[in-house]
């Protein structure tokens, strides 16, 4: 994230770029043989904390949104050594204008295989589509409503009650 902070600093000082996106990867979460994620969480905490401090120092924290994504989640049940690939997951959205402290979506009331959301073996159906939070982020980013279906091609498959607006995710 340190390199991204430097790129943002250079872009804001030396160009007329109004919007930019950066993609940062952090692997190691494929936990088939472990339950210990603490080293990775420590790295994420340290990296995000330093990045936020640098953006605040540059006076840009209100203009930045950080989103965690994953291509899959983990099962809630052990495979004997760790966990297997699951479905759904959680995401972190952070930034100076983000309405923090919210948990959006529904936590399953029943974490057993008898749950309505269970597919068995600790795999659960998500209560919200991936597009739910991207909808509000795209609005915040300035995507016009008539272009949203192009930016989020699966968006129209969901009732608007499953899609968060920028007003839900961000402060004015």
């Amino acid at each position: 994230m340190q390199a991204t902070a430097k790129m943002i600093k250079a872009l804001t000082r030396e160009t007329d770029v109004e919007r930019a996106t950066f993609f940062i990867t952090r692997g190691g979460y494929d936990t088939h043989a472990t339950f210990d994620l603490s080293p990775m969480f420590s790295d994420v905490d340290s990296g995000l904390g330093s990045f936020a401090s640098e953006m605040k120092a540059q006076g840009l924290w209100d203009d930045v949104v950080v989103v965690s994504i994953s291509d899959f989640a983990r099962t809630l049940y052990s495979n004997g050594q760790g966990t297997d690939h699951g479905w759904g997951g959680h995401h972190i959205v952070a930034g100076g204008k983000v309405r923090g402290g919210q948990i959006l979506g529904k936590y399953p009331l029943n974490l057993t295989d008898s749950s309505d959301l269970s597919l068995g073996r600790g795999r659960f159906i998500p209560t919200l589509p991936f597009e739910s939070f991207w909808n509000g982020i795209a609005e915040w980013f300035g995507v016009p409503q008539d272009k949203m279906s192009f930016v989020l091609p699966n968006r129209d498959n969901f009732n608007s009650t499953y899609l968060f607006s920028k007003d839900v995710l961000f402060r004015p």
Side-chain angles (χ1 to χ4, degrees):
M1 297 200 74
Q2 187 177 36
T4 302
K6 288 179 182 179
M7 297 263 311
I8 291 171
K9 187 174 190 175
L11 280 173
T12 57
R13 288 186 175 175
E14 300 173 20
T15 70
D16 291 332
V17 172
E18 290 183 29
R19 305 260 193 268
T21 59
F22 300 89
F23 182 81
I24 301 166
T25 62
R26 170 62 166 97
Y29 293 92
D30 206 1
T31 57
H32 290 283
T34 185
F35 293 105
D36 186 11
L37 295 172
S38 57
M40 290 168 281
F41 290 154
S42 295
D43 286 351
V44 170
D45 182 54
S46 173
L48 280 175
S50 296
F51 180 77
S53 293
E54 178 60 26
M55 291 297 96
K56 290 173 186 176
Q58 291 183 36
L60 298 173
W61 186 232
D62 283 352
D63 300 323
V64 171
V65 64
V66 177
V67 182
S68 70
I69 60 171
S70 177
D71 56 343
F72 58 84
R74 306 307 304 178
T75 58
L76 296 180
Y77 300 173
S78 172
N79 64 12
Q81 297 178 355
T83 60
D84 291 321
H85 295 201
W87 193 27
H90 61 277
H91 302 282
I92 299 168
V93 180
K97 293 268 185 163
V98 171
R99 290 184 190 271
Q102 299 184 86
I103 296 176
L104 304 171
K106 295 177 184 170
Y107 190 80
L109 298 176
N110 177 352
L111 297 177
T112 69
D113 283 347
S114 65
S115 169
D116 290 345
L117 297 174
S118 177
L119 297 173
R121 295 183 49 228
R123 291 174 173 89
F124 285 80
I125 299 169
T127 60
L128 292 169
F130 188 65
E131 291 77 10
S132 63
F133 64 93
W134 284 113
N135 187 75
I137 292 169
E139 285 179 0
W140 176 82
F141 207 72
V143 175
Q145 284 299 317
D146 65 336
K147 302 292 184 203
M148 290 296 259
S149 295
F150 178 76
V151 173
L152 300 169
N154 291 320
R155 176 181 179 260
D156 293 338
N157 293 328
F158 302 100
N159 181 301
S160 63
T161 60
Y162 293 103
L163 303 171
F164 302 122
S165 70
K166 71 177 177 184
D167 296 329
V168 169
L169 299 178
F170 298 94
R171 292 181 287 106

